[in-house]
Amino acid sequence: MSDRDAIVQRFRDGDKFLLTTHENPDGDALGSLVSMNAVLQALGKDTVMFMREDEFPLPYEYRYLLADDQAIHFEPGDLLDRTVVFLDCGQFERMDVDFLRNDALTLINIDHHHDNTRFGTLNMVEGGASCTAELVYSLMKELGVELTPFIADALYVALVTDTGRFMYSNTGPDAHRMAADLIEFGAVDVHDVYVRLFEDQPYAKVQLLARALATLKRFDGGLVTVCNLTKDDFDETGSEETFTEGIVDFARSVSGTEVGVLVRELTGEGREHQSKISLRSSGDTVDVSAIARGFGGGGHRQAAGATTEKTVEQIINEVRDAVREQLAGDATPAA
Ligand code: AMP
Ligand code: MN
Ligand code: MN
């Protein structure tokens, strides 16, 4: 039996589930989490969603999907009775909580990162899928669960955000068919989703963007374009960490750029010496997930990230070296 079939069977036969996703959740992470949860509820299952307390408040644009008290923040007493489901999480370390490191647990891993480490007991990893929500949608249909307005909206938000509004190269016919289904169902207000996700921006967020753009630097004849933000930039504009969403795309968008980079200092307690790196490649020539793995992170070929204690200068130098190596080595670097 394939892992996918075994997962479907487990969803049919199991009684209790615990669902989770990666840290710093994005639209796909949250959309997949809450829609999978609703699908299991529709099947009459006892299901809980786990997310660390420090993830709240969620990014403002996704806050309506999941209230703080709709998730649990600690190990449930009946953990060993529950099947654990990871959604959109390429590595176990991206939801690194001690209680989930337990060999007695059955872990289901549903994801679309090509470099997923297949850490689950059962793994449904489809690197060609545009988003994890696409996999949730196909499981939902196979399980015979009907769309609801809530599920349709959550799946649509995941789809729109992970495909870059249907523009990234991961946007295949399945993504468009799914969008058509969700819109046809009648409960997705396309323009309303657009406004919620991309308009209505807090002023501080646009000020943070202005600061990041003021730091824009080009290296190696423009092949590598970098922005960076310090903790002061967040403090002085009154920005939350999640306000950086989308900034790295401006670095990539500069003509001639192979890799766009955003380096930002983390602001959370105890993380002051760490920086988050976001990498985006403009074509298929450079695989940024390989570069991110060099910093202990990972991701997709064209969008990847990592967290590191290295300085901005070290990071930039290492990224430049890695880009140079990939461009010199082969036009089709190893995945
Ligand atoms: P971001 O730059 O945070 O928007 O992340 C881009 C992509 O890189 C995400 O979709 C993840 O797949 C991946 N990613 C980001 N941060 C990490 C990390 N610390 N470890 C592994 N993968 C990451
Ligand atoms: Mn994600
Ligand atoms: Mn995703």
Side-chain angles (χ1 to χ4, degrees):
M1 187 189 291
S2 71
D3 273 20
R4 184 200 158 97
D5 290 342
I7 288 170
V8 169
Q9 190 173 353
R10 188 83 180 200
F11 283 150
R12 286 209 175 101
D13 299 344
D15 294 321
K16 292 184 163 197
F17 296 86
L18 178 145
L19 275 46
T20 193
T21 184
H22 61 78
E23 60 182 1
N24 306 319
D26 51 23
D28 187 29
L30 289 163
S32 297
L33 176 72
V34 302
S35 55
M36 190 75 243
N37 189 65
V39 166
L40 292 174
Q41 275 176 343
L43 291 170
K45 309 298 179 184
D46 171 344
T47 168
V48 293
M49 292 178 277
F50 169 81
M51 206 177 288
R52 282 204 326 252
E53 199 156 21
D54 58 8
E55 299 287 4
F56 293 87
L58 295 174
Y60 69 93
E61 60 271 55
Y62 308 128
R63 219 163 272 169
Y64 76 99
L65 283 173
L66 181 68
D68 193 339
D69 61 5
Q70 289 175 304
I72 60 165
H73 308 306
F74 301 99
E75 174 179 348
D78 57 358
L79 176 69
L80 291 177
D81 300 335
R82 294 184 181 271
T83 301
V84 176
V85 184
F86 280 77
L87 294 142
D88 197 44
C89 189
Q91 298 144 278
F92 180 82
E93 293 71 25
R94 292 199 79 205
M95 179 43 78
D96 200 6
V97 282
D98 286 342
F99 77 81
L100 292 174
R101 281 188 190 282
N102 185 334
D103 290 341
L105 291 171
T106 300
L107 301 189
I108 290 180
N109 173 11
I110 300 173
D111 185 38
H112 71 129
H113 291 92
H114 77 104
D115 61 356
N116 186 296
T117 55
R118 290 170 166 78
F119 58 85
T121 320
L122 296 168
N123 300 287
M124 179 176 171
V125 177
E126 295 187 14
S130 67
C131 54
T132 299
E134 215 181 287
L135 308 180
V136 173
Y137 183 54
S138 88
L139 287 168
M140 184 196 96
K141 287 193 287 189
E142 189 159 347
L143 289 163
V145 172
E146 301 287 331
L147 278 173
T148 63
F150 178 78
I151 294 175
D153 174 84
L155 292 175
Y156 190 76
V157 165
L159 186 56
V160 167
T161 51
D162 248 34
T163 57
R165 314 182 203 180
F166 304 101
M167 289 290 172
Y168 294 157
S169 58
N170 62 358
T171 313
D174 285 345
H176 281 284
R177 271 185 216 109
M178 175 172 161
D181 287 355
L182 298 176
I183 294 166
E184 201 163 53
F185 173 67
V188 174
D189 184 332
V190 173
H191 184 253
D192 187 59
V193 170
Y194 165 72
V195 171
R196 242 186 289 147
L197 295 179
F198 306 112
E199 304 272 323
D200 272 342
Q201 301 200 67
Y203 181 53
K205 183 175 175 179
V206 183
Q207 284 181 303
L208 192 72
L209 169 64
R211 283 187 179 224
L213 293 180
T215 70
L216 195 87
K217 280 198 194 67
R218 303 170 77 201
F219 297 92
D220 304 317
L223 291 176
V224 177
T225 305
V226 184
C227 292
N228 75 286
L229 288 167
T230 63
K231 185 174 183 312
D232 285 348
D233 291 318
F234 289 87
D235 291 346
E236 288 163 21
T237 56
S239 289
E240 296 170 15
E241 290 200 338
T242 63
F243 289 6
T244 54
E245 180 101 32
I247 292 179
V248 66
D249 298 316
F250 285 89
R252 168 168 61 183
S253 74
V254 178
S255 181
T257 299
E258 282 291 343
V259 175
V261 185
L262 171 70
V263 182
R264 61 176 170 93
E265 289 178 359
L266 293 183
T267 61
E269 218 171 291
R271 308 197 77 171
E272 293 84 1
H273 304 297
Q274 298 184 342
S275 291
K276 169 75 202 272
I277 312 171
S278 289
L279 299 166
R280 300 290 185 272
S281 71
S282 51
D284 216 16
T285 319
V286 177
D287 173 7
V288 288
S289 72
I291 302 176
R293 284 195 291 281
F295 290 98
H300 308 282
R301 291 178 64 92
Q302 288 185 256
T307 301
T308 176
E309 305 217 331
K310 294 182 175 171
T311 64
V312 185
E313 289 71 28
Q314 279 176 310
I315 294 166
I316 295 174
N317 285 334
E318 288 183 28
V319 170
R320 289 172 63 192
D321 287 346
V323 171
R324 211 175 294 127
E325 258 171 48
Q326 283 200 28
L327 291 176
D330 188 344
T332 50

